[in-house]
Amino acid sequence: MAENTEKREYRMEELAEAAGITVRTLRFYRERKLIHPPRREGRIAWYDETHLARLRTISALLERGHTLNGIAELAEAFDHGRNVGELLGLGAPTEETPVRLTPEALADYFGDQATPENFAASLELGYLGTDGGEIVHISRRLLDVTAALVREGIPLADVLSAGRRVREHTESLAELFADLVLTRGGTTEDLQRLRPLAKSVVEAELSLAMDRRLQSGQGPQRS
């Protein structure tokens, strides 16, 4: 028996009831462009599961203290963000595990620092992308490390700024190692096979650089 993949659609009253809001509130959200326009069939407006998910996200963010203006900015940033395929490169090899998240789940990760400005910076940096109606962080490791640094008291904006600088350096390192292999007749298969060696060199050099920084006393002095 074939599986029914037809998506459910809702009239305005049905959608409002499913989302736990009034029709008046739904109209207000639509006027503020917090949700996408519905599909029109004559004079009837049809909404789908993506509209319902967005309404539930709005309610969750409001409960966490976000303003409608902030939510509108966040929604616009996500609607205009790159999709995860563009970020990772369709079919490109990767050792990173993308993580699917809702906006409220991201808010749980970063608390009051989960601002539209920081989300927009994450989208610009390429940490966040979209996949249909879902938000995707490109790397579980980067997400966990970013959250850990924020818990240590480092502002999320500063972590993202540092991430942008690290990106510049790592792009140069990747180009250097690729040239080392490919200019000597190596193939992309060789580059993939030797990838762990490149990572080991970078990790060892970073470890040694941290040792030198600690030994030289260039870090902040504590009383």
Side-chain angles (χ1 to χ4, degrees), residues 52 66 75 90 129:
L52 180 57
H66 291 263
L90 292 176

Side-chain angles (χ1 to χ4, degrees), residues 194-209:
L194 297 174
R195 182 175 179 166
L197 299 182
K199 290 173 56 181
S200 294
V201 171
V202 173
E203 289 175 2
E205 285 290 357
L206 178 59
S207 178
L208 291 169

Side-chain angles (χ1 to χ4, degrees), residues 24 51 85 89 96 98 123 132 144 146 166 189 197 203 209 216 219 223:
R24 181 179 179 181
H51 293 100
E96 299 307 310
L123 286 162
D144 290 344
T146 301
V166 169
E189 288 77 14
L197 299 182
E203 289 175 2
S216 67
S223 57

Side-chain angles (χ1 to χ4, degrees), residues 1-214:
M1 182 176 179
E3 183 180 354
N4 183 7
T5 59
E6 184 177 346
K7 294 182 179 179
R8 177 174 178 184
E9 291 188 307
Y10 305 82
R11 292 174 182 264
M12 178 177 283
E13 295 78 7
E14 295 172 332
L15 180 67
E17 182 179 0
I21 60 176
T22 64
V23 171
R24 181 179 179 181
T25 298
L26 176 55
R27 287 198 179 100
F28 175 72
Y29 289 166
R30 193 174 70 182
E31 290 168 1
R32 291 288 302 273
K33 298 183 179 180
L34 291 172
I35 62 174
H36 297 139
R39 181 180 71 84
R40 291 283 179 179
E41 190 174 280
R43 299 183 63 181
I44 302 176
W46 290 102
Y47 299 84
D48 58 27
E49 295 291 342
T50 61
H51 293 100
L52 180 57
R54 175 63 64 86
L55 290 173
R56 287 172 173 166
T57 293
I58 292 171
S59 296
L61 291 174
L62 286 173
E63 289 177 1
R64 287 163 171 78
H66 291 263
T67 65
L68 279 177
N69 284 337
I71 294 171
E73 291 174 11
L74 177 58
E76 182 178 6
F78 282 130
D79 289 342
H80 291 85
R82 290 174 291 174
N83 66 54
V84 70
E86 292 172 327
L87 293 178
L88 292 175
L90 292 176
T94 180
E95 297 176 350
E96 299 307 310
T97 303
V99 184
R100 296 178 182 274
L101 297 161
T102 60
E104 58 265 34
L106 277 175
D108 287 340
Y109 263 97
F110 299 111
D112 60 1
Q113 295 194 52
T115 63
E117 294 79 9
N118 283 334
F119 281 166
S122 297
L123 286 162
E124 181 184 357
L125 182 57
Y127 280 2
L128 296 180
T130 58
D131 185 10
E134 291 185 292
I135 299 164
V136 180
H137 196 291
I138 62 169
S139 168
R140 164 66 70 183
R141 287 195 295 181
L142 279 174
L143 175 61
D144 290 344
V145 169
T146 301
L149 289 170
V150 170
R151 288 195 299 270
E152 289 292 331
I154 303 175
L156 179 56
D158 292 346
V159 175
L160 295 174
S161 178
R164 188 172 291 106
R165 294 178 61 190
V166 169
R167 173 74 55 80
E168 294 171 359
H169 291 298
T170 53
E171 289 286 353
S172 297
L173 290 169
E175 182 178 0
L176 187 155
F177 191 80
D179 288 345
L180 184 66
V181 174
L182 299 177
T183 58
R184 286 162 175 76
T187 65
T188 53
E189 288 77 14
D190 293 325
L191 188 59
Q192 174 67 3
R193 178 173 54 85
L194 297 174
R195 182 175 179 166
L197 299 182
K199 290 173 56 181
S200 294
V201 171
V202 173
E203 289 175 2
E205 285 290 357
L206 178 59
S207 178
L208 291 169
M210 291 296 294
D211 288 343
R212 291 191 292 271
R213 175 55 63 97
L214 291 168

